[in-house]
Amino acid sequence: MLLRILFFSALLFSGLAQAMLVEKQRFEIAEFTTENGQLIAPVQVGWEAYGQLNEAKDNVILITHFFSGSSHAAGKYSEEDALPGYWDNIIGPGKAIDTDRFYVISVDTLVNANVFDPNVITTGPATINPATGKPWGLDFPVVTIGDFVEVQRALLDSLGIERLFAVIGASMGSFQAIEWATRYPERVERLVPVIGSAFMDAWAAVRLERWAYPIKADPAWNNGDYYATGQPTEGLITALSYIIQDAVYPTGFNLRYPAPYTDAAPHQDIRASFSAWQQLREHAALRAAYQDANHILYLVRASQLFRAGMGDNWQEALKRIQARTLLLPASGDQLLLPQMSRTTQQALEAAGKEVEYHEIPGIWGHLDGVVGMPAVAEVLSEFLQK
């Protein structure tokens, strides 16, 4: 919810243009085998498209979404919607990702966090396992970034799309974009990882474990078996509070939440919370209404396990990339640090690949990969002209 609030503020700054109207579509795979060899039957995901597919089917840009996002990258479902998709500031007619030229597709991931949002279609622990008639729970297989890519590939294959003009994604979406270019190098012409990395190191993986811990520590989680009794609400809200804070640089965070000195109660009572923490939890509670605790755990694990190529040597895997690459980290990112993009750049250059690097300025940190994209819109537009 905080992301949506900040996104709305950014739109007000830039002026609200009339958004495209889009439709959520459903794609189903009757049987899907995960990278660890387990079967999910069936798999369903939602997807959206903007612009027109040309006759040659060579004008396709795939947008891969971030951890707490969905396929709703741009436009609105109806004129009455309060806000458009998260990258509406760069996707649309005449924008950096120009829908007068490109056919832009985005797909809901497996185990999408927003499983209870009526505009999200996903398969995961909270969805019904046809074999039992009950939610999958922790019987759902561990899934990877590679599995997300394979579901997207199956959708594109069903549409007769063999090559991608570009794959562009932010944060967890950058993992998917890089995996696309590594796994299917002959199909990806351009690669744009935003606020991302070709690998997760121990520091980043443990930081994400901090998101998982409050859920697992909540007695209501019940080892993932809570669908008959209700969500582990306290753990989920705490986890989402950490996610929100980690996505925001201190400068932006301090503009949004009150300073400790404004609170009287913590001076008198060790049990009292600061207003900033209370407000952060209120924002997290709004998001929790649409999200599922187990889905958060599965997304955390998919992100923790990522390295390009999903093998033992991500640097070696990057050598397979044929795409021209543009890396767009955020200068203030404290979640996926700019240094991780620099390290990715160095590995690509060492492999003889063509790569550009530009940082997104701003005060919002990781979140600048969503609300700060207009600052690099010209860079992105020029890259897509090459």
Side-chain angles (χ1 to χ4, degrees):
M1 187 66 182
L2 175 64
L3 185 151
R4 302 294 280 169
I5 292 168
L6 298 175
F7 177 45
F8 185 59
S9 299
L11 286 175
L12 288 178
F13 260 117
S14 59
L16 280 167
Q18 185 172 5
M20 303 175 290
L21 291 181
V22 298
E23 177 185 1
K24 178 74 71 170
Q25 302 182 66
R26 183 184 299 267
F27 175 68
E28 180 171 319
I29 303 172
E31 293 185 342
F32 179 79
T33 302
T34 67
E35 287 198 325
N36 61 17
Q38 298 190 56
L39 183 68
I40 308 172
V43 158
Q44 296 187 39
V45 291
W47 65 285
E48 300 180 15
Y50 326 98
Q52 297 294 322
L53 183 63
N54 65 16
E55 187 174 351
K57 298 186 178 181
D58 62 358
N59 68 329
V60 179
I61 292 181
L62 177 66
I63 304 295
T64 48
H65 70 72
F66 51 90
F67 187 100
S68 59
S70 72
S71 62
H72 194 41
K76 292 183 176 183
Y77 298 120
S78 73
E79 296 286 2
E80 290 71 39
D81 287 354
L83 293 173
Y86 66 90
W87 263 357
D88 195 78
N89 52 17
I90 57 167
I91 299 173
K95 297 179 183 179
I97 304 174
D98 189 352
T99 53
D100 288 335
R101 179 186 177 196
F102 299 116
Y103 184 62
V104 182
I105 293 180
S106 188
V107 186
D108 293 332
T109 62
L110 289 171
V111 299
N112 190 284
N114 308 284
V115 62
F116 302 124
D117 183 332
N119 291 312
V120 168
I121 303 169
T122 189
T123 299
T127 59
I128 299 298
N129 179 353
T132 64
K134 299 178 181 179
W136 278 90
L138 299 194
D139 287 337
F140 197 79
V142 171
V143 289
T144 66
I145 297 299
D147 290 320
F148 298 173
V149 167
E150 289 303 322
V151 171
Q152 295 158 7
R153 181 193 58 79
L155 169 61
L156 295 177
D157 287 351
S158 75
L159 299 173
I161 297 169
E162 298 179 354
R163 287 184 66 82
L164 294 167
F165 188 89
V167 184
I168 306 172
S171 191
M172 188 185 78
S174 79
F175 302 164
Q176 297 165 68
I178 291 169
E179 187 60 20
W180 254 104
T182 303
R183 186 172 294 220
Y184 297 108
E186 73 286 351
R187 297 184 68 162
V188 179
E189 298 177 14
R190 293 164 186 81
L191 168 63
V192 186
V194 179
I195 52 172
S197 171
F199 65 97
M200 286 289 278
D201 59 14
W203 184 90
V206 170
R207 193 176 185 93
L208 266 63
E209 191 66 27
R210 183 168 143 271
W211 301 355
Y213 184 79
I215 293 171
K216 295 177 180 179
D218 188 334
W221 181 59
N222 193 31
N223 201 33
D225 183 15
Y226 54 79
Y227 292 106
T229 55
Q231 291 271 352
T233 304
E234 286 302 307
L236 178 59
I237 290 174
T238 301
L240 295 176
S241 297
Y242 291 156
I243 291 171
I244 292 170
Q245 183 182 25
D246 285 350
V248 181
Y249 190 72
T251 302
F253 190 90
N254 291 334
L255 287 175
R256 182 67 184 86
Y257 294 101
Y261 74 85
T262 63
D263 289 319
H267 290 80
Q268 309 298 328
D269 187 349
I270 197 69
R271 295 165 296 186
S273 295
F274 288 100
S275 296
W277 175 243
Q278 293 170 341
Q279 291 181 24
L280 181 59
R281 285 181 58 84
E282 288 169 4
H283 293 146
L286 293 173
R287 183 181 291 183
Y290 299 97
Q291 299 194 355
D292 177 75
N294 282 338
H295 281 234
I296 295 293
L297 297 182
Y298 275 72
L299 285 174
V300 164
R301 182 57 51 85
S303 298
Q304 290 171 317
L305 292 175
F306 175 67
R307 64 276 185 199
M310 298 304 297
D312 295 334
N313 190 325
W314 63 268
Q315 295 97 329
E316 188 68 24
L318 291 184
K319 293 179 180 179
R320 300 198 293 267
I321 292 178
Q322 299 176 15
R324 181 183 294 116
T325 302
L326 169 64
L327 295 167
L328 292 174
S331 297
D333 195 342
Q334 296 191 318
L335 183 56
L336 295 177
L337 305 179
Q339 183 56 45
M340 299 175 80
S341 283
R342 281 288 189 192
T343 302
T344 302
Q345 177 194 16
Q346 291 162 5
L348 285 166
E349 289 177 340
K353 306 303 177 181
E354 185 176 350
V355 56
E356 299 178 35
Y357 178 100
H358 294 271
E359 291 192 7
I360 307 166
I363 63 170
W364 297 110
H366 194 67
L367 193 60
D368 278 318
V370 179
V371 302
M373 290 302 286
V376 292
E378 186 174 349
V379 170
L380 177 57
S381 179
E382 289 178 356
F383 178 77
L384 296 176
Q385 300 296 326
K386 297 176 181 177

